[in-house]
Amino acid sequence: MYQDRILRRELIDKIVTADQAAALIKDQMVVGSSGFTKAGDSKAVLPALASRAQAKPLHITLLTGASLGHNTDAALTTSHVLSRRMPFQVDPVLRKSINAGEVMFIDHHLYETVEQLQNKHLPPVDIAVIEVTKIEEDGSLVPTTSVGNSAHFAALAQQVIVEVNLSMPLGLSGLHDIFLTGGYPERSIIPITSPSSRIGRTSIPVDPEKIVAIVITNIPDSPATVVPPDVKTTAIAEYLLDFFKNEVKQGRLKKSLLPLQAGIGKVANAVMSGFLKSDYENLTMYSEVLQDSTFELIDAGKMTYASASSITVSEEWYHRIMDNLNLYRDKVVLRPQNISNAPEVIRRMGVIGINTAIEFDIYGNVNSTHLSGTHMMNGIGGSGDFARNAFLSIFVTQAASKENAISHVVPMASHVDHTEHDVDILVTDQGLADLRGLAPRERAKVIIANCVHPDYRDELKSYYERACQRGGHTPHVLEEAFSWHSRLATTGSMKKSLTELSY
Amino acid sequence: MYQDRILRRELIDKIVTADQAAALIKDQMVVGSSGFTKAGDSKAVLPALASRAQAKPLHITLLTGASLGHNTDAALTTSHVLSRRMPFQVDPVLRKSINAGEVMFIDHHLYETVEQLQNKHLPPVDIAVIEVTKIEEDGSLVPTTSVGNSAHFAALAQQVIVEVNLSMPLGLSGLHDIFLTGGYPERSIIPITSPSSRIGRTSIPVDPEKIVAIVITNIPDSPATVVPPDVKTTAIAEYLLDFFKNEVKQGRLKKSLLPLQAGIGKVANAVMSGFLKSDYENLTMYSEVLQDSTFELIDAGKMTYASASSITVSEEWYHRIMDNLNLYRDKVVLRPQNISNAPEVIRRMGVIGINTAIEFDIYGNVNSTHLSGTHMMNGIGGSGDFARNAFLSIFVTQAASKENAISHVVPMASHVDHTEHDVDILVTDQGLADLRGLAPRERAKVIIANCVHPDYRDELKSYYERACQRGGHTPHVLEEAFSWHSRLATTGSMKKSLTELSY
């Protein structure tokens, strides 16, 4: 059995049930699991661990690549398994526990988790759980739809549990480029010079002695929920496409642009889809995630190569890709996330980064994680790895939401993930602010003129003008800086009430 | 004349007075000048420009490496020459104009100025003013005590004015390593793998046709003001030295540590001097500035190599170094600032970054630029280049100042330059907070327990506890977050008045 999946024969003896494998995870262990943007996650062992904990409580530190699918984080939260969780999540149940202070969540730049493990700034990984397509003769592991932190978890962990997922086509083999960064002081150059550079091997090296259990599964990834573009996302995409058109016209970019990075979400998808109808050519991507739009661009002959750490697509595209991997074999590559998000490589290639903001302020500081400055949404993810190092750092958000009760352009960002230094272009459905080469007071004028929803423009302008009367390089009225957020908390809207307006 | 300084003979004809050279700078021009941390700045042409503008107004955009010496920024400000200034300054007169909104100051990560010029995100440089030790036969320029952005300014500018400074010893020749990064998409790897790596040439290549004027000067650099350690800086240094001792003991660092970076200032000097009395060996430095302490460590045989973009030392050390350059020839190198501060290299080598904060908050967000969130002090400088990419990112500040009227540990940073992700260790004269691997609520407890001045501890604890009652991953009481700053503005102290305390 599993002749074509477990080529190192003696490892077949290690096959156990998910429950048996989960039993190897002990209380207080540090567990490193595969899984990045819901792709290539543990589909048997972590869920079994959640079930087991309902009967007999245990607590672990769980590290992943990024988000898990299949409501696994919810199940682990409900069973109180998670004492610490890093570096990213998107689960509503887990989010609630994080915001209640029950789960200690450590929000990382996605590049940095491995760095911190290697530097011993985090406790060592006891056990790794890695989903694979197959195990090679040398015991090395061929990942599935993501690489995430799996390669380094396997290298750093004392023990490795492998999930062999029979639903993953064997054709995934060859899609990955596994390069391990060494520890200090012997760290080497990462010799990637273009999205298509291959610098490593196609499987994750692991000492077969460390493989303590193998679980067979047959469950596909959770599909991405791809929301069709609406009026706002279309408007944002159009402003951005106009911007690129002008950059090409001005000679600052070529028709192939530069390698693109796009965060997950409907705006990114709308922008990428906009390229379909454009006259750009030979586009490339150096990103975290390959999404529906990536494959649409490849199919249309617009994109020649795409590099990322995972494939996260809608159910329709999932089957289409898995059934036709040969079409994409020489056009995509999946890398460890500390390579897909490496500052060194992002800088060297001049990536154009497009990421989503929760809110931004009149000076261009971006909050991409905390609702009203306090409540974690998902995490910073890779946005900072790209925004800091990008050729162009672009952030998008709707100008207002919830029937305009919330303005996403505010006097002062209630939490700062990306400082004004790391933000070149801001886009809302109201317009685009080009902040390049501008001082803070100039940035404020451009942002207020172009990005804010009309319902909030006058008040924001008034705030800025009153702030300027107090002076400073970055003028503020500190005691009013969060008044919009406070109003939202007390009245349900950032808008002034009629009573306030009458003063 | 100047036989040994201007080896390309026909250029001798270009010698003019400072006034004549300054006349080549026209209204509205973009000027790129040498000068980094007061070293190697223009000592004749920019001052002459300031004088000229008093008679006949003109306005320019001035780019430098970093700060200028000789009160040149003050003179230019007083003459209203500066309409735009980037990327850094330390001048009280200029600072006042920046905060009044008169000079548009663009505060850059010091790595990024060249990047933005190459990417055409800034207007092109019309004219460069470069101080040199000598001009080689091929017309290339040997810098003096700093490289800064000079190499790229010379490459990008239409015209180049050269200041040949006779006070600079010819022995400076050979000290520099000039490597120019190309534009996109042909950017190359920066192949530095250790502080002593030499990857370029010893002089700045320039098309001799572009050299439009040469001015002869004989003025040394402005000396650095080196303040002797006081009780607080000594305490901070001791906490930090204990920390390093323990890191070595725990096996996370070797006795050679990793390449060190230290911002300018008395704390950094105190820490570095502390290494003198330690049993560390084979220390190296990969920093922006070589300071007194660097040469002390080299002389003591503790430091084997130091790389930076400038030499900024006290008057005593200045003469000692200039008179004995042969002693340091194979132990120091000066690089362009987009190499000394390159994220790629800082990450690859695992630099330990020690920088100064103006204030930090209970979650470890650091403000290093804006007094009370609004008024620019100096600029972010290279702190972000290092903090983001460092093996260990350390920030230091005194716990309180002005007879304790100001606490430098606050509920919420009034301006964020470095987010909690980029801050590993915080040190005040009260103690050290090791934030590695901690979630925000855990960070708050450690910071409040270790770093805050006792006069503010109870109130900060109360703020944190009340914030936690509201919940969130990063709890805050938004309407109180800046109450300490507001109190400072109205009462001159962050402390509660007796009236307030009675409630």
Side-chain angles (χ1 to χ4, degrees):
Chain A
M1 267 190 83
Y2 321 118
Q3 302 267 333
D4 52 351
R5 299 277 180 171
I6 306 178
L7 303 188
R8 192 173 182 94
R9 297 298 170 213
E10 78 261 27
L11 286 178
I12 290 178
D13 298 341
K14 301 280 182 184
I15 295 175
V16 296
T17 66
D19 288 340
Q20 288 170 318
L24 297 168
I25 299 174
K26 312 290 184 195
D27 191 43
Q28 304 302 328
M29 269 192 171
V30 176
V31 180
S33 171
S34 64
F36 190 97
T37 57
K38 300 189 179 181
D41 54 339
S42 156
K43 291 160 183 88
V45 178
L46 292 184
L49 187 71
S51 303
R52 173 188 146 202
Q54 287 183 323
K56 196 180 167 202
L58 93 164
H59 307 284
I60 66 165
T61 293
L62 177 62
L63 292 82
T64 54
S67 54
L68 301 176
H70 302 96
N71 299 317
T72 299
D73 265 323
L76 290 166
T77 305
T78 309
S79 304
H80 306 289
V81 173
L82 302 176
S83 60
R84 309 177 79 73
R85 178 77 176 88
M86 59 195 96
F88 190 76
Q89 59 77 39
V90 297
D91 186 274
V93 177
L94 173 52
R95 181 181 301 145
K96 207 174 155 191
S97 275
I98 289 168
N99 286 319
E102 292 157 7
V103 175
M104 292 294 104
F105 176 57
I106 297 136
D107 179 32
H108 283 165
H109 293 299
L110 290 184
Y111 165 84
E112 292 199 347
T113 309
V114 160
E115 190 96 351
Q116 293 187 24
L117 284 171
Q118 287 181 322
N119 299 349
K120 298 177 186 145
H121 296 166
L122 292 174
V125 177
D126 295 301
I127 197 159
V129 182
I130 314 283
E131 184 186 76
V132 309
T133 303
K134 67 172 183 175
I135 304 175
E136 301 282 11
E137 271 176 66
D138 62 359
S140 65
L141 309 175
V142 176
T144 59
T145 45
S146 72
V147 181
N149 286 321
S150 298
H152 289 87
F153 287 159
L156 295 166
Q158 295 292 311
Q159 300 181 312
V160 178
I161 298 172
V162 178
E163 291 189 18
V164 178
N165 188 334
L166 304 181
S167 84
M168 295 288 172
L170 282 166
L172 284 168
S173 183
L175 223 60
H176 314 90
D177 185 55
I178 309 297
F179 178 91
L180 284 99
T181 54
Y184 294 116
E186 286 83 23
R187 180 73 60 93
S188 66
I189 289 169
I190 303 172
I192 293 175
T193 54
S194 93
S196 62
S197 296
R198 279 189 164 269
I199 61 170
R201 44 183 292 171
T202 56
S203 59
I204 297 172
V206 62
D207 175 2
E209 296 288 316
K210 292 209 300 191
I211 298 179
V212 290
I214 296 175
V215 178
I216 309 295
T217 72
N218 200 356
I219 306 163
D221 285 336
S222 299
T225 321
V226 178
V227 184
D230 57 22
V231 180
K232 287 182 187 173
T233 52
T234 306
I236 292 171
E238 280 171 7
Y239 284 120
L240 209 38
L241 291 164
D242 275 353
F243 166 78
F244 284 122
K245 201 170 173 181
N246 189 51
E247 290 300 293
V248 173
K249 199 173 152 194
Q250 301 295 326
R252 285 189 288 262
L253 283 170
K254 294 181 185 164
K255 277 202 174 172
S256 55
L257 302 179
L258 281 166
L260 297 160
Q261 174 261 338
I264 291 188
K266 53 188 181 178
V267 174
N269 254 321
V271 173
M272 300 304 278
S273 297
F275 286 134
L276 275 177
K277 294 165 281 181
S278 68
D279 61 349
Y280 299 105
E281 50 198 27
N282 300 318
L283 294 172
T284 59
M285 175 167 261
Y286 195 83
S287 193
E288 292 174 333
V289 194
L290 306 182
Q291 302 178 66
D292 287 17
S293 51
T294 314
F295 293 93
E296 286 169 16
L297 285 166
I298 290 175
D299 282 1
K302 289 280 180 194
M303 182 167 280
T304 55
Y305 208 93
S307 163
S309 194
S310 73
I311 299 173
T312 302
V313 290
S314 64
E315 197 154 8
E316 184 200 335
W317 270 101
Y318 186 80
H319 295 296
R320 198 158 146 187
I321 295 162
M322 292 298 164
D323 294 346
N324 297 283
L325 280 166
N326 276 329
L327 293 179
Y328 303 109
R329 185 163 303 283
D330 57 350
K331 295 193 178 68
V332 304
V333 64
L334 299 181
R335 307 179 189 277
Q337 70 196 68
N338 64 334
I339 303 295
S340 65
N341 288 30
E344 168 174 347
V345 180
I346 295 165
R347 288 268 183 192
R348 187 180 299 142
M349 299 198 305
V351 171
I352 295 171
I354 306 170
N355 290 287
T356 304
I358 285 178
E359 65 181 9
F360 56 78
D361 69 26
I362 53 173
Y363 300 111
N365 299 289
V366 168
N367 171 8
S368 51
T369 53
H370 284 67
L371 298 178
S372 282
T374 55
H375 283 64
M376 173 56 65
M377 190 65 201
N378 299 329
I380 195 165
S383 58
D385 298 322
F386 287 93
R388 172 64 64 91
N389 299 294
F391 170 87
L392 271 176
S393 169
I394 299 164
F395 280 91
V396 299
T397 186
Q398 47 190 334
S401 66
K402 312 256 172 187
E403 295 178 335
N404 303 332
I406 296 176
S407 173
H408 297 272
V409 189
V410 293
M412 185 187 253
S414 58
H415 179 90
V416 176
D417 291 295
H418 312 289
T419 72
E420 53 112 349
H421 307 286
D422 297 341
V423 181
D424 298 313
I425 308 289
L426 289 169
V427 200
T428 69
D429 48 296
Q430 295 294 318
L432 181 146
D434 183 346
L435 307 174
R436 292 175 293 177
L438 301 186
R441 288 176 187 231
E442 297 170 312
R443 295 167 78 97
K445 285 177 198 152
V446 173
I447 290 170
I448 294 170
N450 291 285
C451 294
V452 68
H453 188 278
D455 287 3
Y456 291 93
R457 189 168 293 144
D458 288 346
E459 202 188 336
L460 202 55
K461 213 170 153 217
S462 155
Y463 175 86
Y464 173 65
E465 284 163 2
R466 284 177 294 114
C468 285
Q469 283 164 20
R470 296 193 180 187
H473 178 60
T474 304
H476 271 297
V477 183
L478 282 189
E479 66 275 20
E480 261 187 54
F482 299 136
S483 57
W484 296 19
H485 299 88
S486 296
R487 217 182 276 150
L488 176 66
T490 50
T491 71
S493 172
M494 283 188 176
K495 284 186 191 171
K496 273 193 176 167
S497 65
L498 289 174
T499 338
E500 284 175 281
L501 284 171
S502 68
Y503 285 102
Chain B
M1 265 191 84
Y2 320 119
Q3 301 267 335
D4 52 350
R5 298 278 180 171
I6 306 179
L7 302 188
R8 191 172 181 95
R9 295 297 171 216
E10 78 260 28
L11 286 178
I12 290 178
D13 298 341
K14 300 280 184 184
I15 295 175
V16 296
T17 65
D19 288 339
Q20 287 171 319
L24 296 168
I25 299 175
K26 312 291 183 193
D27 191 42
Q28 304 302 328
M29 271 192 171
V30 176
V31 180
S33 171
S34 65
F36 190 98
T37 55
K38 300 189 178 181
D41 53 339
S42 156
K43 292 164 182 84
V45 177
L46 291 184
L49 187 71
S51 304
R52 173 188 147 202
Q54 287 184 320
K56 196 180 167 204
L58 93 164
H59 308 285
I60 65 164
T61 293
L62 177 62
L63 293 82
T64 54
S67 54
L68 301 176
H70 302 96
N71 299 316
T72 299
D73 265 323
L76 290 166
T77 305
T78 309
S79 305
H80 305 289
V81 173
L82 303 176
S83 60
R84 307 177 81 72
R85 179 79 175 86
M86 60 195 95
F88 189 77
Q89 58 77 40
V90 296
D91 187 274
V93 177
L94 172 54
R95 181 181 300 146
K96 207 174 156 192
S97 274
I98 288 169
N99 285 320
E102 292 158 6
V103 175
M104 291 295 102
F105 176 58
I106 297 137
D107 179 31
H108 283 164
H109 292 301
L110 290 185
Y111 165 83
E112 292 199 347
T113 309
V114 159
E115 191 96 349
Q116 293 187 23
L117 285 170
Q118 288 181 323
N119 298 350
K120 298 178 187 146
H121 296 167
L122 292 174
V125 177
D126 295 301
I127 197 159
V129 183
I130 315 283
E131 184 185 78
V132 307
T133 304
K134 69 171 181 174
I135 305 176
E136 300 283 11
E137 271 177 66
D138 61 359
S140 65
L141 310 175
V142 176
T144 59
T145 44
S146 73
V147 180
N149 286 320
S150 297
H152 289 87
F153 287 159
L156 295 165
Q158 296 293 310
Q159 301 181 310
V160 178
I161 298 172
V162 178
E163 292 189 17
V164 178
N165 188 335
L166 305 181
S167 84
M168 295 288 172
L170 283 165
L172 284 168
S173 183
L175 223 60
H176 314 90
D177 185 53
I178 309 297
F179 178 91
L180 284 97
T181 54
Y184 294 116
E186 285 83 24
R187 179 73 60 95
S188 65
I189 289 169
I190 304 171
I192 293 175
T193 54
S194 92
S196 62
S197 295
R198 279 190 164 266
I199 62 169
R201 43 183 294 171
T202 55
S203 60
I204 297 172
V206 63
D207 174 2
E209 296 288 315
K210 293 208 298 191
I211 298 178
V212 290
I214 296 174
V215 178
I216 309 296
T217 71
N218 200 354
I219 306 163
D221 285 336
S222 298
T225 322
V226 178
V227 185
D230 57 23
V231 180
K232 288 182 187 172
T233 53
T234 305
I236 292 172
E238 280 171 8
Y239 285 121
L240 209 37
L241 290 164
D242 275 353
F243 167 79
F244 283 122
K245 200 170 173 181
N246 190 51
E247 290 301 293
V248 173
K249 198 173 153 195
Q250 300 296 326
R252 284 189 289 263
L253 283 170
K254 295 181 184 164
K255 277 203 175 171
S256 56
L257 302 179
L258 280 165
L260 298 160
Q261 174 261 337
I264 292 189
K266 53 188 182 179
V267 174
N269 253 322
V271 174
M272 300 303 278
S273 298
F275 287 134
L276 276 176
K277 292 165 281 180
S278 68
D279 59 349
Y280 299 106
E281 49 198 30
N282 299 318
L283 295 172
T284 59
M285 174 167 263
Y286 195 82
S287 193
E288 294 175 332
V289 195
L290 306 182
Q291 302 178 66
D292 287 18
S293 50
T294 316
F295 293 95
E296 285 168 18
L297 285 166
I298 291 175
D299 281 3
K302 288 280 179 193
M303 182 167 280
T304 55
Y305 208 92
S307 163
S309 195
S310 73
I311 298 173
T312 301
V313 290
S314 64
E315 197 154 8
E316 183 198 336
W317 269 100
Y318 187 80
H319 295 295
R320 198 159 146 185
I321 295 161
M322 291 301 165
D323 294 347
N324 297 283
L325 280 167
N326 276 329
L327 292 180
Y328 303 109
R329 185 163 303 285
D330 57 351
K331 295 192 178 68
V332 304
V333 64
L334 298 181
R335 308 182 189 276
Q337 70 195 69
N338 64 334
I339 303 297
S340 65
N341 289 31
E344 168 174 346
V345 180
I346 295 165
R347 288 267 183 193
R348 186 179 300 142
M349 298 197 305
V351 172
I352 296 171
I354 306 169
N355 291 287
T356 305
I358 285 178
E359 66 181 8
F360 56 79
D361 68 25
I362 54 173
Y363 299 111
N365 298 288
V366 168
N367 171 9
S368 51
T369 54
H370 285 68
L371 299 178
S372 281
T374 56
H375 283 64
M376 173 55 65
M377 191 63 201
N378 299 329
I380 195 165
S383 58
D385 298 321
F386 287 93
R388 172 63 65 91
N389 299 294
F391 170 87
L392 271 176
S393 168
I394 299 164
F395 280 91
V396 299
T397 186
Q398 47 190 334
S401 66
K402 312 259 171 184
E403 293 176 337
N404 304 332
I406 297 176
S407 172
H408 296 272
V409 189
V410 293
M412 184 188 255
S414 59
H415 178 91
V416 176
D417 290 295
H418 312 289
T419 73
E420 53 113 347
H421 307 285
D422 297 342
V423 181
D424 298 313
I425 307 290
L426 289 170
V427 199
T428 69
D429 48 296
Q430 295 294 318
L432 181 145
D434 184 346
L435 307 174
R436 292 175 294 178
L438 300 186
R441 288 176 187 232
E442 297 169 314
R443 295 166 78 96
K445 284 177 199 152
V446 174
I447 290 170
I448 293 170
N450 292 284
C451 295
V452 68
H453 188 278
D455 286 4
Y456 292 93
R457 188 167 292 144
D458 288 346
E459 202 189 338
L460 202 56
K461 212 170 156 221
S462 155
Y463 175 86
Y464 172 66
E465 283 163 1
R466 284 176 295 114
C468 284
Q469 283 164 20
R470 296 194 180 187
H473 178 61
T474 305
H476 271 297
V477 183
L478 282 189
E479 65 275 18
E480 260 188 55
F482 299 137
S483 57
W484 295 20
H485 299 88
S486 296
R487 216 181 278 150
L488 176 66
T490 50
T491 71
S493 171
M494 284 189 176
K495 285 186 189 170
K496 274 193 176 168
S497 65
L498 288 175
T499 338
E500 285 175 282
L501 283 171
S502 68
Y503 284 101

